[in-house]
Amino acid sequence: MTPPELRSEGLSLGYGDRRVVDSLTTVLPTGKITVIVGPNACGKSTYLRGLARLLHPLSGAALLDSTPIHTMPSKDVAKLLGILPQGPTAPEGITVADLVGRGRHPHQGWLHRWTSEDDEAVAAALVATGTLDLADRVVDELSGGQRQRVWIAMALTQRTPVLLLDEPTTYLDVTHQVEVLDLLVDLNEAEGATVALVLHDLNLAARYADHLLVLRAGRIVVEGAPNDVLTEDVVREVFEMDCRIVQDPVSATPMVVPIGRHRVVR
């Protein structure tokens, strides 16, 4: 399936009277990985929630193949777009296998019959995230890193052509951070899925993004290929931090080296 185009037109979002995202217009490149970065409280997660129809726009719209997403039936959206929000909560006492299996609900008919395709999707997601040995465990008993990988498995089980993830590397050690991001690249390359995610680590964002979207105060500062947009001036403007940009020796993408007040070679 060719992924639908996901874009925003003049999209403004907020909570009550507080506007967090202000008139964003952009297109997520279809079949590519977009990483959204920016300082704390700049609107990254809010923007992702708006794209996923979890927040109703104050103005403008998020569009899925030119249709305002908030006007579409929920089940139709769920077949096309998967979302892993920040800090999800699981029902008390649910097992890993049952939670991951919930990702298949949009694909089941009105009788909710479980099929061999559902079994295969759940097993593949558990294997891909290294959580197969946790299948019978209760989610509440897992460590933060284990729970995060289980939630990612549930998102993968949906097998949607568009996948949105809000800080999917939270609670993960560096080994599992890289494994999860490699997994998203595998998904993108094997199935042509459009993937958008929020990350805090600029160096991992630069390494894994095809398209980098840089936000500050609810607005887009710059977007494009990491080599084109991640500069010392941009980091200084957006993060109020001096740095040096060097080439990542592994990926040849930009690497941000922060400059603090101490441990600086004069």
Side-chain angles (χ1 to χ4, degrees):
M1 176 189 294
T2 300
E5 181 187 75
L6 181 60
R7 59 191 173 95
S8 61
E9 286 190 357
L11 181 63
S12 295
L13 301 159
Y15 305 93
D17 295 331
R18 184 168 64 93
R19 182 173 296 229
V20 178
V21 167
D22 192 14
S23 300
L24 293 194
T25 296
T26 191
V27 178
L28 299 188
T30 301
K32 302 293 184 180
I33 296 176
T34 296
V35 180
I36 305 168
V37 299
N40 290 339
C42 73
K44 301 184 298 295
S45 297
T46 299
Y47 182 52
L48 205 70
R49 287 169 59 82
L51 290 177
R53 210 186 67 156
L54 299 179
L55 277 179
H56 196 280
L58 300 176
S59 60
L63 301 116
L64 202 56
D65 269 352
S66 300
T67 301
I69 196 169
H70 66 275
T71 68
M72 298 173 63
S74 296
K75 193 157 189 175
D76 290 350
V77 174
K79 290 179 181 178
L80 297 171
L81 188 151
I83 174 70
L84 175 62
Q86 189 179 123
T89 56
E92 185 176 352
I94 194 170
T95 67
V96 167
D98 286 341
L99 180 64
V100 174
R102 291 193 173 197
R104 298 301 300 165
H105 287 182
H107 300 278
Q108 295 169 357
W110 67 277
L111 293 176
H112 299 290
R113 288 182 175 173
W114 192 264
T115 67
S116 58
E117 184 179 356
D118 296 322
D119 279 329
E120 190 275 331
V122 169
L126 291 171
V127 170
T129 54
T131 54
L132 184 60
D133 60 333
L134 303 175
D136 296 325
R137 295 271 302 276
V138 174
V139 174
D140 293 341
E141 299 173 353
L142 304 180
S143 69
Q146 288 172 326
R147 282 197 299 271
Q148 189 70 2
R149 284 188 286 144
V150 168
W151 281 109
I152 292 168
M154 193 191 79
L156 295 179
T157 303
Q158 296 177 60
R159 291 193 170 174
T160 55
V162 179
L163 184 60
L164 309 179
L165 306 102
D166 192 357
E167 298 186 31
T169 56
T170 299
Y171 304 120
L172 301 182
D173 58 41
V174 66
T175 300
H176 286 113
Q177 288 181 41
V178 172
E179 286 180 357
V180 164
L181 295 171
D182 280 344
L183 178 62
L184 295 177
V185 173
D186 291 341
L187 175 70
N188 168 256
E189 292 181 347
E191 301 184 19
T194 299
V195 180
L197 61 153
V198 171
L199 288 180
H200 278 290
D201 188 313
L202 290 178
N203 293 330
L204 288 178
R207 179 180 290 189
Y208 284 93
D210 298 307
H211 188 78
L212 201 60
L213 188 64
V214 184
L215 296 185
R216 179 177 172 83
R219 293 180 177 273
I220 297 173
V221 175
V222 65
E223 62 177 309
N227 278 311
D228 295 332
V229 305
L230 196 58
T231 66
E232 294 174 7
D233 288 341
V234 166
V235 173
R236 187 178 302 109
E237 176 187 354
V238 173
F239 295 93
E240 299 180 355
M241 180 183 72
D242 289 326
C243 72
R244 294 289 180 267
I245 301 291
V246 299
Q247 187 180 76
D248 186 322
V250 173
S251 59
T253 52
M255 176 179 285
V256 178
V257 181
I259 299 174
R261 294 186 297 106
H262 300 291
R263 309 298 187 189
V264 178
V265 177
R266 303 295 182 183

